[in-house]
Amino acid sequence: SRRCGLAGGRSYSGGGAYPSVSLTCPLPGVPKAVFAAAEGRERFETRVTVLENGLRVASQKKFGQFCTVGLLINSGSRHEAKYLSGISHFLEKLAFSSTSQFASKDEILLTLEKHGGICDCQASRDTIMYAVSADAKGLDTVVNLLADVALQPRLSDEEIEMTRTAIRFELEDLNMRPDPEPLLTEMIHAAAYRDNTVGLNRFCPVENTDKIDREVLHSYLRNYYTPDRMVLAGVGIEHEQLVECARKHLLGVEPVWGSGQSKEVDRSVAQYTGGIVKVEKDMSDVSLGPTPIPELTHIMIGLESCSFLEEDFIPFAVLNMMMGGGGSFSAGGPGKGMFTRLYLNVLNRHHWMYNATSYHHSYEDTGLLCIHASADPKQVREMVEIITREFILMAGAVGEVELERAKTQLKSMLMMNLESRPVIFEDVGRQVLATNTRKLPHELCALISQVKSTDIKRVVTKMLHKKPAVAALGDLTDLPTYEHIQTALSSKDGRLPRLYRLFR
């Protein structure tokens, strides 16, 4: 009543009828406002339909004129054990080239341009994704195009030769770029899963570029580009309309490589081995110029976590957010993760550390939590010591404040990313491809909120019983032996002083 009374002496324009009522109080005698209720939650659920040939069609409604539609296929570098390594890399580069209906890539782009559309293809270790964003009115054209690109590519000799050139150039660039993170990611996977599944190289080796031809590609496509391994996902369109287009363009279509049963599908389960992959390399001239990056040695240490299908995936995601980290020159406050452990315990205390970042890679049957660190070659021994100590301290006490901060940051990142239509599309497609259903954001947020410090300690204890995976790039003169790193990671909280003696 006092708040309402404070405004009694003020005059408001047009407020002559009620001179003594504050703008924050309801007007006397006016009926209570009736606000529009939020629509039922079912409106926002992902709908899934399975066609007669096994193809899954998944859709998610989203307001707007444009839609994102694409094909996700359970196919990637992890399935290349019986083939030449690098096929997925080739398929990614060959995507949206000439097909049975379209004479060239330019013709495809002109067709999309009529609907304001853009296209992209991305190949990962376990999935290849063909996607188009365009006006929702052009849905039939888009689905027809996607079906033709995936099932009727011409793969002409000229296109394959151009792809060889593009891949050679990309491999050269990969070895020359200042940021070695993509290279280290390949190395840590090769060390963690030696010669199997997700440990197989995602990039085509140089020696294989001349060996991959149309016959090799058709042999692979015949086994892995089958309807039961595909999901047609769409965001921003009506489900019935997408199903109708799928029936029209993807049901009963014979691929260019011929129909028939898959005979050599690799269903291997990832086998975590642990180990080390080292590449001695002169990093002194990777970034010349007026502000050159100093010569650095890069180390990545990882341990097996879990599959994204397991319940422990959420605690591992919170742990990864809690570790956080980044570069030593990152600017910003709490929103940039400056209160994460790798900032507080590593970058803020050791000025010579150039980078310390936590990564979590998760797949259908395994996962890998790793920390990437970089410093001057003379500091390598101490850098490895500091990173191994951080792994061991994960099993110690988890503060309530840091745990809540990590959970809040994870939920915030999740919700912010899912504001983007292409991100929703990928989330829908990947979840349906793996589980035939989709957990909605509010369900994931509820699971994140339930994570306790005991959950973090449990998953870390399980993780620390595994052999480490180590990737090292640069001047490795002072790198400790793999045995020293493994012994250090097997130390317990009570024996931390022993860790320092191991590296001396």
Side-chain angles (χ1 to χ4, degrees), residues 374-393:
S374 49
D376 186 275
K378 295 175 184 175
Q379 309 278 172
V380 169
R381 191 169 291 270
E382 193 174 351
M383 174 170 65
V384 173
E385 174 186 310
I386 289 164
I387 297 306
T388 49
R389 183 186 66 205
E390 286 305 311
F391 270 109
I392 295 166
L393 290 175

Side-chain angles (χ1 to χ4, degrees), residues 150-170:
L151 301 176
Q152 305 286 337
R154 285 187 183 172
L155 304 179
S156 68
D157 292 337
E158 184 185 356
E159 288 168 345
I160 291 174
E161 192 55 48
M162 287 176 65
T163 299
R164 289 191 181 113
T165 305
I167 285 175
R168 290 190 194 107
F169 178 81
E170 186 176 344

Side-chain angles (χ1 to χ4, degrees), residues 39-256:
E39 294 194 54
R41 183 171 286 166
E42 63 275 3
R43 171 176 166 81
F44 302 99
E45 288 181 355
T46 302
R47 296 181 61 187
V48 181
T49 299
V50 183
L51 301 188
E52 292 82 347
N53 61 356
L55 178 88
R56 284 156 287 179
V57 181
S59 72
Q60 177 77 52
K61 285 190 177 181
K62 184 173 174 63
F63 176 78
Q65 179 184 351
F66 279 75
C67 66
T68 299
V69 182
L71 270 174
L72 290 94
I73 304 165
N74 187 7
S75 156
S77 58
R78 70 170 296 164
H79 301 109
E80 295 174 2
K82 297 179 181 178
Y83 294 88
L84 287 169
S85 176
I87 290 176
S88 297
H89 196 184
F90 260 77
L91 291 173
E92 179 185 50
K93 298 294 179 194
L94 285 163
F96 295 100
S97 297
S98 64
T99 69
S100 61
Q101 292 182 42
F102 300 94
S104 66
K105 180 172 284 190
D106 289 340
E107 194 173 319
I108 288 175
L109 295 177
L110 284 170
T111 302
L112 286 175
E113 197 175 294
K114 294 173 185 174
H115 301 284
I118 55 172
C119 60
D120 187 30
C121 178
Q122 292 181 7
S124 61
R125 289 187 150 74
D126 53 1
T127 310
I128 189 162
M129 180 172 62
Y130 300 85
V132 172
S133 285
D135 192 304
K137 293 176 183 175
L139 180 64
D140 188 74
T141 304
V142 167
V143 176
N144 175 44
L145 170 63
L146 286 166
D148 214 41
V149 164
L151 301 176
Q152 305 286 337
R154 285 187 183 172
L155 304 179
S156 68
D157 292 337
E158 184 185 356
E159 288 168 345
I160 291 174
E161 192 55 48
M162 287 176 65
T163 299
R164 289 191 181 113
T165 305
I167 285 175
R168 290 190 194 107
F169 178 81
E170 186 176 344
L171 293 174
E172 281 182 31
D173 179 64
L174 199 64
N175 287 306
M176 291 169 59
R177 65 172 62 179
D179 175 24
E181 199 270 326
L183 208 57
L184 281 166
T185 300
E186 292 304 305
M187 292 166 63
I188 197 73
H189 278 83
Y193 307 92
R194 192 169 292 275
D195 299 325
N196 78 89
T197 58
V198 294
L200 301 177
N201 202 329
R202 193 168 66 86
F203 299 105
C204 181
V206 177
E207 62 271 16
N208 284 359
T209 52
D210 288 325
K211 299 175 185 175
I212 295 176
D213 55 21
R214 189 190 299 107
E215 187 179 340
V216 171
L217 293 170
H218 277 187
S219 172
Y220 179 86
L221 292 166
R222 190 174 296 112
N223 284 308
Y224 290 98
Y225 275 43
T226 55
D228 58 301
R229 300 177 69 86
M230 294 182 182
V231 168
L232 177 67
V235 177
I237 34 81
E238 293 292 334
H239 184 72
E240 290 76 14
Q241 192 182 356
L242 185 62
V243 171
E244 184 184 337
C245 290
R247 288 186 182 280
K248 181 179 175 182
H249 300 294
L250 286 160
L251 197 60
V253 177
E254 182 168 338
V256 70

